[in-house]
Amino acid sequence: MQMSGAQMVCEAIIAEGVTTVFGYPGGAIMHVYDEVYKQNGFEHILNRHEQASVHAADGYARATGEVGVAMVTSGPGFTNAVTGLATAYMDSIPIVVISGQVPSQLIGTDGFQEIDAVGISRPCTKHNFLVRSLEELPRLLKEAFYIARSGRPGPVLIDIPKDITVDIGEFVYPDTVNIPSYKPTYVGNKRQIEKAVEAIKKAKKPLLYIGGGVVLSNASDLVRELAKKTQIPAVETLMARGVLGAKNPLLLGMLGMHGNYASNMAMSETDLVISLGARFDDRVTGKLSEFAKYADIIHVDIDASNIGKIVDVDYPIVGDITEVVEAMMPQLDGIDTDRYEAWRSILKRYDELHPQSFVDSDEVIKPQWAIERIGELVGENAIITSDVGQHQMWAAQHFPFDRPRQWINSGGLGTMGFGFPAALGVKKAFPEKTVINITGDGSILMNMQELVTAAEYKIPVINMILNNHFLGMVRQWQTFFYEKRYAETDLSFQPNWKALAEACGGIGYDVTTKEEFDAAIKDAIAQDKVCFMNVIINRFEDVLPMVPSGGALFNMMLPQKVDKTKETK
Amino acid sequence: MKNSSNERRVISVIVLNESSVLARITALFAGRGYNIESLTVAPIPESDMSHITIATNGSAKVMEQITKQLHKLIPVYKVIEHEEMVEKEMVLAKFPIAEHLSDIGALCAAYNGGIVNVGREMIIAMVADEPQRIKHFIEASQRYNPSEIVRGGVVAIER
Ligand SMILES: Cc1ncc(C[n+]2csc(CCOP(=O)(O)OP(=O)(O)O)c2C)c(N)n1
Ligand SMILES: [Mg+2]
């Protein structure tokens, strides 16, 4: 069929089954927008900033497991999208970003709104393309989606010069992709898997170390079965919350800098780490020389470059978690689960000694209480997104996640401003769920213009601002490591949150008591409108336990069992 | 993960011919802090691929990362970390006409080369030899006052 390049872009999006596209128009991409106007195969949401468009596409991808799509114009439209690309890149999220570029003949001349998009995005995309001719456009569109979702997923940028969107040519969307240089490894090496299984059977203190790769591979059910069958205790990374489910008796909790005592001790004392889709991030390992010091390591990862990058691995297995765990399962038939009983009881004692805890208060709302309360009030029906800071860690520690893709946050890049636009993408994909962005008084302002988007398109997400009048996480480090010199972290000067939300077409709630909290949540769900819920919390609450940066995992600062609400600077 | 026990390595990278592939590779080295000692590129005859030869150095761990990271690039077809290989590098050198033509000719012959051009004001010589020997050639050539030396970078082939 004959059509313009712009139309090809829309046809490809429809063919890929994408139902919602997020974006922002401008000169170089106007032709594409003209076709967006004419089609009705997908809905387009006009965010109020390109960064938000990319985060929204990212949220959509994280919630569904499908590829999310964002569209931006050249120059500043593209540069605004870079943080979104980098965020998706660090967490291996499949998105395709389509950017307009100046006409081919202007490339290299410093034309109006020309910027080298493929050059800038090279280190923060899985792959990118500058389209050179109309003939290659259908193939490159197909490859972009394929590369984004296959192997270790990631963002792909496709930069299209304006003239190519105008030109008319033959469109046949390819059914298959053939890139001879790109063949991801899915099936793990049989021999290595056998050896790993033998190691599991011989271990006395094995530990499942579960990372975001399990979510990406949709392997959560399988990993739950693996845990059940072997009765091996497990820890989850920040990206894997929900994989085993909060009620799982084998789950010790989250490990790392803000991991709980039992998880971090388990990692310090284990004799066999079974790493599934985790990448030994420095926020997880703490001091490397002390990390899992007594353990052999099985490392299963679809990306060979993750294996042996940080720690030396005894049983490297390159492959998709689903494939590898499926291959392991029958070999584990009849495994002696009693073998690990002593280990399980040690860990149980650790958890009893220092459970994930906090001291509640009747005078002020504690953030941990607020999070546990949403768990009670909304629980299973909630999908939680978050920004970056203390609130993020409290959410990861205290929310009872019971399934994968229920917890959506920027783990690798740690992008403040991610939560609200990501929530829009989530809500578009799952309108029947209650989508709550757990955010901070700092982070929310980084994409607060999305109030307008949410109000216009009636995307009712709840922004729960855990308001400590601080850039709290930075403040916490200043308290501990900079002798309380609170350099540029005091956010005492605040907007009128309720008025701000209302000015943009949403609702606002000011919450200072537990009663108000419950009432606000119930009202926000009933009203079905975007809202800011300004929850005033204890200013100086710290995220604990904490492993100071570079310290060994077993050297944790633990919560004191006293009420610190009255503390001031 | 950088540590001190650096060793020199030559890596061949077979890539699909596409406009930005070289940029992807050099950006990878720059972005991850790997060294490039020399780099050569040329199309592979009768194919849509090119052969890039990179001489680099780093610890065994860094080398492993370099190969894996290269392999991750979408247009990279194959990465060969050479164990048994023949390595050669070509050098062009320019000498003033006042120098002894036959001495320079003899020197170049000792390094697999010879005089390739003699003009009114200068002598141009070419040699092609192992990188280590190329270093020696450059040292030895100093006594003939070369005005310019251009090294071609390492190319390698598996034995
Ligand atoms: C875009 C961006 N800028 C800066 C930071 C560094 N940073 C990490 S947490 C944080 C404070 C966040 O404050 P707030 O959103 O109020 O959350 P709180 O820690 O108070 O819960 C900052 C500034 C970041 N992660 N992202
Ligand atoms: Mg704050």
Side-chain angles (χ1 to χ4, degrees):
Chain A
M1 206 176 140
Q2 293 283 307
M3 63 176 75
S4 69
Q7 214 176 336
M8 293 180 188
V9 171
C10 294
E11 290 297 326
I13 291 170
I14 295 166
E16 294 290 344
V18 178
T19 54
T20 310
V21 170
F22 303 87
Y24 209 102
I29 197 153
M30 276 188 69
H31 248 76
V32 177
Y33 270 92
D34 197 39
E35 294 301 330
V36 169
Y37 184 88
K38 293 179 201 160
Q39 60 79 43
N40 51 20
F42 59 85
E43 184 187 9
H44 182 278
I45 305 286
L46 175 71
N47 297 91
R48 278 0 187 222
H49 191 297
E50 290 88 349
Q51 182 192 350
S53 297
V54 183
H55 289 329
D58 176 324
Y60 174 97
R62 289 182 202 237
T64 60
E66 306 294 331
V67 180
V69 175
M71 271 183 200
V72 300
T73 192
S74 68
F78 165 76
T79 54
N80 274 350
V82 171
T83 300
L85 285 169
T87 302
Y89 180 71
M90 290 295 280
D91 290 340
S92 310
I93 304 304
I95 58 171
V96 169
V97 174
I98 296 160
S99 55
Q101 182 53 281
V102 300
S104 305
Q105 63 278 14
L106 273 183
I107 290 179
T109 65
D110 302 315
F112 176 63
Q113 297 195 324
E114 179 187 0
I115 200 78
D116 176 7
V118 287
I120 290 177
S121 63
R122 202 167 286 133
C124 59
T125 51
K126 179 173 174 187
H127 196 52
N128 58 20
F129 301 101
L130 170 61
V131 181
R132 306 245 155 200
S133 71
L134 185 64
E135 289 65 52
E136 65 176 13
L137 182 60
R139 176 176 60 83
L140 295 186
L141 285 163
K142 180 78 189 178
E143 287 183 4
F145 280 91
Y146 174 75
I147 291 170
R149 71 160 74 86
S150 57
R152 179 182 183 177
V156 177
L157 174 84
I158 171 157
D159 195 36
I160 316 179
K162 186 170 184 175
D163 52 307
I164 294 177
T165 66
V166 179
D167 290 350
I168 291 184
E170 181 63 21
F171 180 73
V172 181
Y173 197 57
D175 292 328
T176 52
V177 168
N178 179 23
I179 312 169
S181 58
Y182 176 65
K183 306 271 183 236
T185 309
Y186 292 101
V187 181
N189 180 292
K190 221 174 128 222
R191 187 74 202 96
Q192 286 295 90
I193 292 174
E194 281 167 14
K195 281 199 217 161
V197 168
E198 281 318 304
I200 293 173
K201 288 179 178 166
K202 282 203 198 100
K204 291 203 179 81
K205 300 173 170 184
L207 183 67
L208 289 166
Y209 163 40
I210 296 170
V214 175
V215 179
L216 296 170
S217 169
N218 293 317
S220 297
D221 286 344
L222 205 55
V223 170
R224 284 183 191 201
E225 278 174 45
L226 174 71
K228 194 169 168 202
K229 185 170 195 173
T230 58
Q231 291 295 305
I232 295 174
V235 294
E236 289 174 347
T237 67
L238 176 67
M239 299 311 291
R241 300 303 270 153
V243 165
L244 286 188
K247 292 190 207 82
N248 197 312
L250 290 161
L251 177 65
L252 299 167
M254 179 171 78
L255 87 163
M257 180 174 277
H258 293 298
N260 63 332
Y261 184 75
S263 296
N264 286 347
M265 291 310 287
M267 189 53 93
S268 303
E269 294 182 2
T270 174
D271 65 359
L272 181 70
V273 176
I274 306 159
S275 172
L276 303 175
R279 60 182 177 84
F280 299 82
D281 182 271
D282 52 279
R283 284 291 190 269
V284 160
T285 62
K287 189 176 183 179
L288 262 184
S289 56
E290 296 294 332
F291 176 79
K293 203 174 178 176
Y294 308 107
D296 280 350
I297 294 180
I298 299 173
H299 191 170
V300 186
D301 203 302
I302 197 157
D303 179 355
S305 77
N306 269 347
I307 298 179
K309 179 175 65 176
I310 309 290
V311 296
D312 293 333
V313 171
D314 305 275
Y315 305 93
I317 303 173
V318 180
D320 179 26
I321 306 292
T322 302
E323 297 277 351
V324 174
V325 176
E326 253 170 17
M328 281 181 170
M329 286 300 269
Q331 299 179 39
L332 288 162
D333 283 348
I335 185 172
D336 172 21
T337 57
D338 289 344
R339 193 179 167 77
Y340 316 130
E341 181 51 36
W343 170 230
R344 284 191 299 265
S345 62
I346 293 173
L347 296 175
K348 189 155 168 268
R349 245 180 294 139
Y350 281 149
D351 199 46
E352 286 161 2
L353 199 60
H354 297 291
Q356 182 74 58
S357 68
F358 67 98
V359 181
D360 201 8
S361 161
D362 291 328
E363 283 157 42
V364 57
I365 292 182
K366 287 295 190 92
Q368 303 92 331
W369 174 86
I371 284 158
E372 289 182 359
R373 190 69 187 145
I374 319 173
E376 289 161 14
L377 294 175
V378 195
E380 273 182 30
N381 200 46
I383 299 180
I384 306 293
T385 70
S386 120
D387 271 304
V388 173
Q390 293 184 307
H391 58 274
Q392 175 192 26
M393 291 300 125
W394 286 316
Q397 290 174 333
H398 292 274
F399 192 89
F401 296 106
D402 63 8
R403 62 174 187 282
R405 302 190 187 279
Q406 191 187 13
W407 165 238
I408 285 168
N409 82 128
S410 165
L413 197 68
T415 309
M416 289 171 69
F418 171 79
F420 187 10
L424 300 181
V426 175
K427 185 73 182 177
K428 283 310 292 182
F430 292 102
E432 75 288 1
K433 296 286 182 198
T434 300
V435 179
I436 304 178
N437 172 31
I438 295 179
T439 179
D441 48 324
S443 297
I444 188 63
L445 291 179
M446 287 207 178
N447 267 316
M448 69 170 188
Q449 78 287 343
E450 293 311 301
L451 271 169
V452 182
T453 315
E456 180 188 351
Y457 292 94
K458 303 195 170 40
I459 313 175
V461 301
I462 298 172
N463 290 285
M464 202 176 88
I465 304 165
L466 295 177
N467 190 346
N468 48 15
H469 292 70
F470 265 125
L471 296 173
M473 186 55 95
V474 185
R475 190 282 306 155
Q476 176 171 339
W477 285 49
Q478 290 168 332
T479 303
F480 291 161
F481 313 120
Y482 293 86
E483 299 171 320
K484 303 192 181 181
R485 288 185 300 278
Y486 296 126
E488 305 300 319
T489 48
D490 189 326
L491 297 185
S492 292
F493 185 87
Q494 298 240 324
N496 178 336
W497 299 99
K498 190 165 181 294
L500 180 59
E502 285 167 359
C504 299
I507 344 177
Y509 303 90
D510 288 316
V511 173
T512 53
T513 66
K514 291 179 175 176
E515 293 69 39
E516 286 169 356
F517 185 88
D518 281 14
I521 291 271
K522 282 177 192 143
D523 192 64
I525 294 172
Q527 293 264 356
D528 221 20
K529 258 186 166 179
V530 62
C531 74
F532 271 7
M533 200 175 288
N534 171 32
V535 182
I536 305 298
I537 61 163
N538 178 28
R539 271 202 101 187
F540 284 90
E541 193 71 22
D542 293 317
V543 181
L544 295 170
M546 178 174 188
V547 179
S549 189
L553 272 192
F554 51 79
N555 280 332
M556 281 163 273
M557 302 162 83
L558 292 163
Q560 288 165 338
K561 294 183 169 122
V562 294
D563 188 351
K564 284 188 26 181
T565 46
K566 290 173 195 86
E567 187 178 331
T568 58
K569 19 178 175 177
Chain B
M1 286 289 93
K2 269 142 247 172
N3 63 40
S4 47
S5 61
N6 274 12
E7 61 176 305
R8 182 175 171 281
R9 277 283 180 163
V10 178
I11 301 171
S12 283
V13 192
I14 314 297
V15 299
L16 300 184
N17 284 335
E18 52 154 70
S19 53
S20 58
V21 62
L22 190 59
R24 287 183 205 284
I25 288 177
T26 51
L28 174 78
F29 274 74
R32 294 195 181 255
Y34 308 142
N35 300 322
I36 297 183
E37 190 187 288
S38 97
L39 185 150
T40 60
V41 198
I44 296 173
E46 273 138 62
S47 82
D48 52 2
M49 309 241 183
S50 286
H51 189 137
I52 300 179
T53 311
I54 305 171
T56 176
N57 57 66
S59 64
K61 197 156 184 162
V62 168
M63 283 304 149
E64 184 184 329
Q65 270 297 306
I66 291 178
T67 8
K68 285 176 169 176
Q69 293 292 349
L70 281 169
H71 206 81
K72 242 171 96 170
L73 296 175
I74 307 287
V76 168
Y77 181 67
K78 210 167 164 191
V79 184
I80 309 156
E81 226 193 310
H82 292 293
E83 293 292 339
E84 287 284 308
M85 62 183 166
V86 174
E87 258 186 87
K88 292 282 175 206
E89 180 171 358
M90 191 189 88
V91 175
L92 290 173
K94 200 187 275 178
F95 300 95
I97 195 75
E99 298 296 332
H100 258 284
L101 197 58
S102 57
D103 285 6
I104 292 174
L107 174 68
C108 293
Y111 290 93
N112 280 319
I115 305 232
V116 292
N117 189 296
V118 181
R120 196 188 290 213
E121 281 162 7
M122 45 62 188
I123 304 163
I124 297 177
M126 183 275 292
V127 303
D129 213 326
E130 270 114 56
Q132 196 52 38
R133 295 200 13 104
I134 290 295
K135 257 171 79 184
H136 296 155
F137 166 77
I138 290 168
E139 279 162 25
S141 69
Q142 293 307 313
R143 52 187 290 209
Y144 305 107
N145 301 310
S147 60
E148 204 180 334
I149 292 180
V150 178
R151 297 179 66 158
V154 176
V155 292
I157 198 161
E158 200 102 42
R159 242 193 280 231

